[in-house]
Amino acid sequence: MAFLAKKGVEPPIWRKSGLLFFAMTALFFLLVGLFLGQSFQPAKYQNSLVLYVVDFDNDLIGKKMLELTSQVITSGPGWLVLSSVQFPQGPSGVSAKVDSGEAWGAIVVNPGATKKLVDAYNNPSIDYKPQEAITFYYDEGRSPKTIIQYVVVPMRDLAQRVSNEFGAEFIKSANVSAGLTQVIQRNPKLITSPVSYTESNLHPNNAPVADASLTFGQVFLIVFCYAISQAILQLTGPLVLSLELSTLLSLRIRIIIVFCVGISLWYTILHTALGVQFSVGRWFTFWFLNALQMFVHVFTLLDIGILAGRNSPTFPLYFLIVLILNATAGLGVLELGNEFYRWGYAMPMWNAVTACRTLVFGSYNRMALNVGILFAWFVVLLLSYIWIQLSGREFDDEDDDSSSYYANGENGSRNDVSFPPQKWNRPSDYDEANDAVRGARRNDEIAD
């Protein structure tokens, strides 16, 4: 410490820096561990992704499908075999379940699949389409990477196994009146691939840039919200002692509106420029949704900034906590993580990402719930901000900071502060306090 003192560095600064270093290190391991833990061993939780298996054929192809499903039902995604009686609308009813989000995907053996195949064998002149035997449904827009890896691939593998294993068995068991030679000549697909499948992507990812922008783009919005909150605190902080409380509240809220509405507008325009297609109504809803999310994050950080102190070195750490908690919920798929992470469903970013995907892709419509949660966050944080201001917490912070002028002297870091009055809204106190500061500065100049 003596060596550091010779260099003009005070030992207390190093002690504080050391404490801050250990606090940041602990926070780093906690937050990074929390973030990475959400996506740790996703295959272990793959069974939380429910995939329906429904047999409308009730014949040879359907039986083969159910037989092979029973072999994989204990591994991979959450296979769920359902009776066709539960879907009086037919395959369209199953598709509706996937569209509503009750299932992540569904594989269906279509009605009459076996009968069409037998008829084609008996009469090779019939135009038989093997891909009409099986259909599987999925909603790519719900989460493009997750859907392809954990939903489409398993269903495709199952359908392919049915196709590969069914041909030889059918030739042995079916009542085929036509000779194989005639069948091969007129319709060779009846021998090489008697059963195939069709993929039905209910909401395709037609704008690849949209998936990245709806995840990492939301992270950028939170970073901008941090910059906005810092700018508001630094620009309006010196006015705390000279403005009426109602005027200060109104000024800050108006600045927040301008920043959030403006940036979310450009964010929406950028999506349009990058090829994301919106109807007019969805375009304005997308704008409103992102503006609402920005309001939530700005008021969160503004509340924290006032409580911690706008010049506090811990404020960026609080921002990192807000950022990582939201990123943990919004960037991953909560169903592929430990149940501990179910709190993510209440986080602003998860609800914003889910709602934006509904607007962009039309998938997994939970719009009312998502907007409701975001609006609840907004109301709570706005009221807490007003309460913090009314309670004088920022006034106390100004009191502590401004007193450093007398500790540091004219060469200190606070040359632009006035001694705070003891109560709000007393101009005479402001004048007396400013006179005291000016007198102290003149005395320091004379002493120098």
Side-chain angles (χ1 to χ4, degrees):
M1 289 297 182
F3 172 76
L4 294 175
K6 290 180 181 179
K7 295 296 182 179
V9 180
E10 297 182 5
I13 297 298
W14 285 93
R15 285 197 294 269
K16 293 179 180 179
S17 299
L19 291 174
L20 186 60
F21 168 76
F22 285 113
M24 291 181 66
T25 303
L27 188 65
F28 173 83
F29 281 103
L30 178 63
L31 294 179
V32 173
L34 182 70
F35 177 75
L36 296 179
Q38 195 280 324
S39 56
F40 181 66
Q41 294 182 335
K44 181 179 178 181
Y45 305 98
Q46 190 178 352
N47 58 0
S48 63
L49 306 181
V50 178
L51 304 183
Y52 290 169
V53 179
V54 186
D55 174 22
F56 287 98
D57 178 49
N58 296 313
D59 208 333
L60 297 175
I61 298 177
K63 291 178 181 178
K64 189 63 179 179
M65 173 66 74
L66 297 181
E67 175 190 338
L68 295 179
T69 301
S70 66
Q71 298 176 10
V72 300
I73 200 167
T74 57
S75 62
W79 299 103
L80 181 60
V81 178
L82 299 176
S83 171
S84 58
V85 178
Q86 298 178 242
F87 302 95
Q89 304 91 347
S92 61
V94 180
S95 172
K97 294 293 184 182
V98 177
D99 193 25
S100 67
E102 293 186 33
W104 284 76
I107 185 166
V108 170
V109 181
N110 291 308
T114 302
K115 183 178 184 303
K116 292 178 182 178
L117 177 59
V118 172
D119 291 344
Y121 264 104
N122 293 327
N123 186 3
S125 62
I126 295 177
D127 183 18
Y128 175 69
K129 298 177 181 179
Q131 67 272 18
E132 294 181 352
I134 299 172
T135 304
F136 61 82
Y137 303 92
Y138 60 94
D139 180 2
E140 185 184 11
R142 183 172 179 176
S143 181
K145 294 180 181 179
T146 301
I147 291 294
I148 297 301
Q149 182 175 357
Y150 295 105
V151 175
V152 174
V153 171
M155 290 197 299
R156 188 179 291 158
D157 289 344
L158 179 59
Q160 191 63 49
R161 284 190 63 187
V162 175
S163 177
N164 293 339
E165 297 183 18
F166 182 78
E169 296 180 8
F170 175 75
I171 293 175
K172 294 178 182 179
S173 60
N175 180 19
V176 182
S177 60
L180 289 179
T181 303
Q182 185 181 5
V183 172
I184 293 174
Q185 289 176 347
R186 295 192 179 184
N187 199 340
K189 290 185 293 185
L190 294 173
I191 302 299
T192 58
S193 179
V195 174
S196 187
Y197 56 88
T198 299
E199 300 183 13
S200 179
N201 186 356
L202 303 181
H203 301 287
N205 180 12
N206 293 325
V209 70
D211 184 54
S213 66
L214 295 181
T215 51
F216 293 102
Q218 300 293 329
V219 174
F220 296 149
L221 285 183
I222 298 177
V223 174
F224 271 98
C225 290
Y226 171 69
I228 293 170
S229 63
Q230 277 280 47
I232 291 173
L233 289 173
Q234 296 301 325
L235 291 173
T236 63
L239 304 176
V240 168
L241 302 175
S242 58
L243 292 179
E244 297 276 346
L245 179 57
S246 59
T247 304
L248 180 66
L249 287 170
S250 175
L251 175 63
R252 283 180 168 174
I253 291 174
R254 280 180 287 161
I255 294 175
I256 291 172
I257 291 174
V258 171
F259 273 100
C260 292
V261 171
I263 292 177
S264 60
L265 173 61
W266 285 112
Y267 183 68
T268 306
I269 293 174
L270 179 62
H271 277 75
T272 305
L274 293 175
V276 179
Q277 301 295 324
F278 294 105
S279 64
V280 175
R282 291 196 172 194
W283 193 93
F284 281 101
T285 306
F286 188 83
W287 178 16
F288 161 77
L289 193 65
N290 286 289
L292 180 60
Q293 184 201 190
M294 290 190 70
F295 283 133
V296 169
H297 293 307
V298 169
F299 278 114
T300 299
L301 295 168
L302 197 59
D303 290 351
I304 294 173
I306 294 173
L307 293 173
R310 71 173 186 271
N311 296 312
S312 171
T314 61
F315 186 26
L317 299 182
Y318 292 121
F319 160 67
L320 287 177
I321 294 174
V322 172
L323 178 64
I324 297 299
L325 288 177
N326 278 278
T328 300
L331 294 182
V333 178
L334 298 179
E335 288 84 353
L336 291 177
N338 190 282
E339 290 185 359
F340 165 77
Y341 289 94
R342 296 300 188 261
W343 52 262
Y345 292 121
M347 295 303 293
M349 183 175 171
W350 185 88
N351 285 278
V353 169
T354 303
C356 286
R357 280 177 172 161
T358 299
L359 293 172
V360 174
F361 302 119
S363 61
Y364 195 58
N365 190 344
R366 297 291 187 277
M367 184 65 68
L369 178 62
N370 298 144
V371 174
I373 292 176
L374 285 173
F375 188 75
W377 274 101
F378 169 71
V379 171
V380 170
L381 292 167
L382 175 61
L383 293 177
S384 64
Y385 165 68
I386 295 174
W387 176 81
I388 291 170
Q389 293 275 230
L390 291 174
S391 65
R393 294 302 300 269
E394 188 171 10
F395 173 81
D396 295 337
D397 177 60
E398 289 293 322
D399 187 24
D400 295 337
D401 289 345
S402 58
S403 63
S404 65
Y405 175 85
Y406 298 98
N408 298 328
E410 183 65 27
N411 294 324
S413 60
R414 299 278 298 182
N415 295 325
D416 59 342
V417 298
S418 58
F419 188 82
Q422 297 301 311
K423 297 180 180 179
W424 285 90
N425 306 328
R426 291 181 59 186
S428 61
D429 286 342
Y430 299 150
D431 295 337
E432 293 172 5
N434 289 326
D435 289 341
V437 171
R438 285 192 290 269
R441 288 177 176 170
R442 283 197 297 270
N443 293 334
D444 289 341
E445 292 173 356
I446 293 173
D448 292 339

